[in-house]
Amino acid sequence: MIDMGSYTYGDTKEAIIRLGHTVDDMYYHFSDRYEDDFFSERFELQLKRHHYDAVLSINFFPLIATGCHNMCIPYISWSYDSPLEEKLSKYFEFDTNRIFLFDRKEVEDYNRKGFDNVWHLPLAVNLDRLDKLAFSEECSEKYKADVSFVGRIHKSELRALLVPADEYIKGYVEGLFQTQIRVYGYNFLEEAISDSVIDSLNEAYSKLGQEAVKLNKRGLAYAINSQITYFERKILLEELAQEHKVHFYTTGEYVLDDSVIVHGPVKYYTDMNAVFRNSKLNLCPTLRSIASGIPLRALDIMGAGGVLFSN
Amino acid sequence: VLKIFVVNYDELNPRRSIEQIADDIYNSFLTADQAMLEEMGTELRARLPYKDEYEIEFADTAQSSSRACLINNIRKCKADLLVTYNLAGFELSTLMDSLGYNLVDCRQFHFVMKKELLQSEYMKKEKSINMFFFYEIQ
């Protein structure tokens, strides 16, 4: 199993061992997931030195897929990220890949594109571990709260992407944003973005000499979805903070009213669960780009015995 | 130039000079077995023999202000090789409680001279394939 510092690695490994398999760990943190000579060399060396029936990672990594393909070893990946970065799909076609995603809609999209090695697998948490967690009185008091949110306020690249666009395109995208933000249960962005909008944006990038930047419908839809998520999370936190004490634990940057009580990050295996169990309500506003899956954070909250409030 | 970032001793350990550090790195390369040399990768293997081209920079874990952001500082300086002595800085952990150094994207040489450190909690944790340990128990 290859660990990249993923949230679910330890629990997944425990489950695999419980099923009777033996596991070797390999920890690595990529600076560039698409090009890394040291990793590629070291990884194939490891595969040559030992006999493995399969390689498993949390989330999909192109260099692992390539190494496994070169060495004819099945590569199993189970992702908690959604949607996957589009250029990853260039590496999907290897017959050694077994790709599991938690969003059924995303799986159907890949299946339609001809990838029959992509399957739906909902995410999971380790209840054996979580049920045994006990918190001291001091710890419970520390994390006691009305409302908590452990996560990030995602910053979207939408504004940057639209800088070279003309006023018509900017207005068109604003219209899409304003419409989609009011609609739950159906994401129509990719269908509503016309080819001419994409062509016009790409032409604007070319005029600026940015030949390397090429946007497609999925990319623009993702940027709009991220912008919607950003607004939803900000509004949710600030509005709730008018009536309740709202605690926000984050690793990311944020711009919020002072009414929201902001903390640094919490440890995944310990403090985060204390937050969930000792808060009256735990927020999990789902990323708009997740069409049909239950995100990991929602399962984290329920697994820890916390009360979940989500969309 | 092989850019080397050294997390120097805490208050319990004497400091090593730049020359001593360069010697430590060079000697560890000379004495590494074949398996370890292969694991270091082609690029590092090719550059380690040229001691004259080592460029060494220090960080001191004893300075409390820099201690908390040590991992970030190391990542920012984009060194080719990170060197520590007696697991200095290993107490820094990620949000998943793994070693902070696991997040550093360069090869790492860790020199361990104290026997008790081999039984420490840090050594039981999962370590990056970027890390290479050299034991010179005194």
Side-chain angles (χ1 to χ4, degrees):
Chain A
M1 286 181 67
I2 303 180
D3 188 8
M4 314 289 160
S6 318
Y7 290 125
T8 53
Y9 182 84
D11 288 338
T12 307
K13 180 180 158 185
E14 193 184 313
I16 298 270
I17 291 170
R18 214 184 297 153
L19 288 169
H21 304 292
T22 52
V23 174
D24 271 359
D25 292 301
M26 189 184 229
Y27 190 101
Y28 193 67
H29 186 80
F30 284 107
S31 52
D32 183 341
R33 289 191 296 170
Y34 296 91
E35 203 178 331
D36 188 328
D37 291 341
F38 170 74
F39 178 80
S40 297
E41 191 180 337
R42 178 75 175 80
F43 179 51
E44 291 196 16
L45 183 68
Q46 182 83 1
L47 296 184
K48 272 180 205 154
R49 278 187 189 166
H50 305 270
H51 169 77
Y52 295 114
D53 296 313
V55 173
L56 190 151
S57 74
I58 305 300
N59 291 335
F60 180 86
F61 292 89
L63 294 179
I64 302 176
T66 307
C68 287
H69 177 66
N70 293 344
M71 304 298 290
C72 300
I73 294 173
Y75 170 39
I76 304 161
S77 67
W78 187 14
S79 295
Y80 60 70
D81 281 344
S82 178
L84 297 185
E85 205 179 336
E86 190 163 16
K87 60 179 175 176
L88 286 175
S89 63
K90 286 181 193 164
Y91 300 84
F92 276 17
E93 64 189 22
F94 298 141
D95 57 1
T96 39
N97 286 340
R98 314 283 187 269
I99 300 163
F100 296 92
L101 309 178
F102 75 94
D103 188 333
R104 191 187 294 275
K105 168 86 170 43
E106 196 180 4
V107 172
E108 287 168 358
D109 289 345
Y110 282 117
N111 291 161
R112 261 196 300 276
K113 287 176 186 167
F115 297 112
D116 56 4
N117 54 357
V118 181
W119 291 279
H120 176 238
L121 181 64
L123 295 170
V125 288
N126 183 353
L127 289 179
D128 285 345
R129 175 177 61 82
L130 291 166
D131 286 348
K132 284 179 199 146
L133 283 176
F135 302 106
S136 65
E137 227 169 87
E138 192 187 350
C139 179
S140 298
E141 194 57 40
K142 181 180 174 188
Y143 292 113
K144 203 169 159 186
D146 290 337
V147 181
S148 294
F149 174 41
V150 180
R152 296 170 71 116
I153 295 192
H154 289 263
K155 270 202 157 182
S156 169
E157 291 177 6
L158 186 62
R159 286 191 197 286
L161 288 174
L162 293 178
V163 167
D166 61 35
E167 291 308 306
Y168 173 78
I169 300 292
K170 284 178 184 168
Y172 184 95
V173 171
E174 177 65 20
L176 289 176
F177 171 85
Q178 290 295 347
T179 315
Q180 182 67 75
I181 200 170
R182 289 166 173 78
V183 177
Y184 278 92
Y186 186 68
N187 197 301
F188 52 78
L189 288 174
E190 274 192 63
E191 293 164 61
I193 296 168
S194 66
D195 291 336
S196 61
V197 166
I198 295 299
D199 292 344
S200 171
L201 275 168
N202 284 327
E203 203 177 307
Y205 300 139
S206 294
K207 279 180 187 167
L208 285 176
Q210 294 175 338
E211 297 291 345
V213 183
K214 283 277 177 254
L215 198 62
N216 57 21
K217 287 185 185 183
R218 193 175 174 198
L220 182 58
Y222 181 76
I224 299 171
N225 277 322
S226 300
Q227 184 82 346
I228 292 172
T229 305
Y230 168 78
F231 271 91
E232 281 183 338
R233 291 186 174 186
K234 184 172 160 60
I235 290 166
L236 182 66
L237 288 172
E238 290 178 348
E239 288 295 313
L240 278 169
Q242 301 303 314
E243 302 289 335
H244 309 278
K245 282 192 173 166
V246 176
H247 295 257
F248 177 40
Y249 298 88
T250 188
T251 52
E253 294 172 17
Y254 59 88
V255 181
L256 285 171
D257 282 355
D258 292 343
S259 52
V260 180
I261 306 158
V262 183
H263 308 265
V266 277
K267 294 267 185 181
Y268 185 77
Y269 287 107
T270 50
D271 295 353
M272 183 178 80
N273 299 298
V275 171
F276 295 154
R277 209 175 281 182
N278 292 291
S279 298
K280 289 178 186 165
L281 205 60
N282 293 287
L283 306 177
C284 180
T286 309
L287 285 166
R288 275 299 187 104
S289 46
I290 297 174
S292 69
I294 300 174
L296 181 63
R297 191 50 41 87
L299 298 175
D300 286 334
I301 293 167
M302 292 187 285
V307 180
L308 167 69
F309 181 64
S310 189
N311 48 333
Chain B
V1 168
L2 183 71
K3 195 172 175 189
I4 300 162
F5 191 90
V6 183
V7 181
N8 211 0
Y9 285 359
D10 57 26
E11 43 295 286
L12 299 175
N13 296 294
R15 286 165 199 280
R16 264 173 147 71
S17 66
I18 284 184
E19 289 73 22
Q20 284 172 319
I21 291 166
D23 281 344
D24 289 340
I25 296 166
Y26 183 70
N27 291 334
S28 63
F29 165 71
L30 291 181
T31 54
D33 62 21
Q34 189 57 32
M36 188 186 268
L37 286 173
E38 281 181 5
E39 288 170 4
M40 284 177 190
T42 310
E43 199 196 336
L44 188 61
R45 234 175 17 239
R47 297 166 78 187
L48 278 170
Y50 302 101
K51 198 164 71 165
D52 294 345
E53 294 183 21
Y54 292 178
E55 183 184 288
I56 295 175
E57 193 179 319
F58 286 93
D60 194 336
T61 60
Q63 291 170 356
S64 57
S65 60
S66 65
R67 198 180 188 93
C69 51
L70 178 68
I71 301 296
N72 278 339
N73 290 341
I74 294 168
R75 294 178 78 181
K76 272 185 213 160
C77 88
K78 295 190 185 299
D80 303 304
L81 181 65
L82 167 73
V83 173
T84 77
Y85 288 90
N86 283 332
L87 308 186
F90 267 73
E91 71 280 12
L92 299 167
S93 63
T94 70
L95 288 179
M96 262 78 77
D97 275 327
S98 73
L99 301 168
Y101 284 134
N102 277 341
L103 297 175
V104 178
D105 307 316
C106 67
R107 310 301 87 77
Q108 302 170 30
F109 282 6
H110 301 287
F111 295 101
V112 184
M113 284 90 103
K114 293 184 176 178
K115 198 176 176 184
E116 65 269 24
L117 289 173
L118 298 178
Q119 276 82 48
S120 68
E121 281 304 304
Y122 315 126
M123 293 306 276
K124 289 176 195 157
K125 288 189 178 182
E126 199 182 321
K127 291 171 277 294
S128 169
I129 56 169
N130 268 324
M131 294 182 189
F132 299 92
F133 291 86
F134 301 94
Y135 305 106
E136 298 166 23
I137 302 303
Q138 291 164 346

